[in-house]
Amino acid sequence: MGDEPRETRVRSAGRILLVDARSRVLLLSCRDPSRPEDGSWWFTPGGGAEAGESVEDAARREALEETGLDVRALGAPVHRRHASFDFEGVHYEQDDVFYLVRVHSHEVDCAALTDDERRVMTGHRWWAEDELATTDETVYPAELLDVLRAAGAFVGDAT
């Protein structure tokens, strides 16, 4: 097995539920190099707030870094959750705040990824509702499909 966590970080994170006009959500793929036996998983764009940064600003910054999308207006959060996880030898206690962002379409641009993000991220993909409902792959948060449905992500058009 991989390394046991050496420290605990408590933080807040802003996350984006990016949904296009075809009612698909963008997810990123990641792996933990310290635990290759865990394989990879899918997650929403976003990440931890830096010192003095709001979760809204963290969500905007991470969306730009991870997807190339400059998000200006976020609106009210559509979901909140507490996550407890280990990653690269660190234990995280993280409060996630999720924002629904609709776009007509978006070509993902990973040019602004940090060196750390480049090391752990393995790809991206737009997922339809039925694909999320039937996948055997690991997706975080586990309740993502219910969150998207409750937020009305699969209804309407971003045009």
Side-chain angles (χ1 to χ4, degrees):
M1 291 290 287
D3 296 332
E4 291 300 316
R6 298 179 301 272
E7 65 178 288
T8 296
R9 290 187 193 155
V10 178
R11 68 181 190 174
S12 296
R15 308 210 68 81
I16 302 288
L17 303 173
L18 186 59
V19 177
D20 72 4
R22 294 172 54 195
S23 292
R24 299 176 306 166
V25 63
L26 179 69
L27 297 180
L28 309 174
S29 179
C30 183
R31 64 182 178 80
D32 183 342
S34 73
R35 296 166 53 150
E37 67 276 7
D38 289 350
S40 63
W41 58 90
W42 296 94
F43 67 103
T44 61
E50 296 176 353
E53 185 179 45
S54 69
V55 291
E56 295 90 349
D57 287 341
R60 287 185 192 98
R61 175 181 49 77
E62 292 281 347
L64 185 60
E65 287 175 8
E66 296 173 346
T67 73
L69 182 66
D70 187 4
V71 177
R72 299 188 188 272
L74 288 177
V78 297
H79 183 64
R80 295 174 188 269
R81 72 154 190 170
H82 180 80
S84 181
F85 61 95
D86 297 333
F87 190 76
E88 291 199 302
V90 177
H91 179 74
Y92 290 88
E93 292 293 330
Q94 179 169 294
D95 291 319
D96 289 325
V97 180
F98 291 82
Y99 300 91
L100 178 65
V101 174
R102 291 185 180 276
V103 294
H104 178 70
S105 63
H106 178 66
E107 183 75 28
V108 175
D109 178 358
C110 300
L113 288 175
T114 67
D115 289 342
D116 284 341
E117 289 167 334
R118 286 184 195 287
R119 191 169 42 73
V120 300
M121 290 179 56
T122 59
H124 62 273
R125 178 178 157 202
W126 292 92
W127 292 71
E129 180 180 13
D130 63 331
E131 293 171 322
L132 280 174
T134 59
T135 188
D136 290 332
E137 297 187 57
T138 303
V139 175
Y140 293 114
E143 71 275 15
L144 179 62
L145 186 58
D146 292 335
V147 170
L148 288 163
R149 287 174 172 161
F154 300 120
V155 179
D157 191 327
T159 57

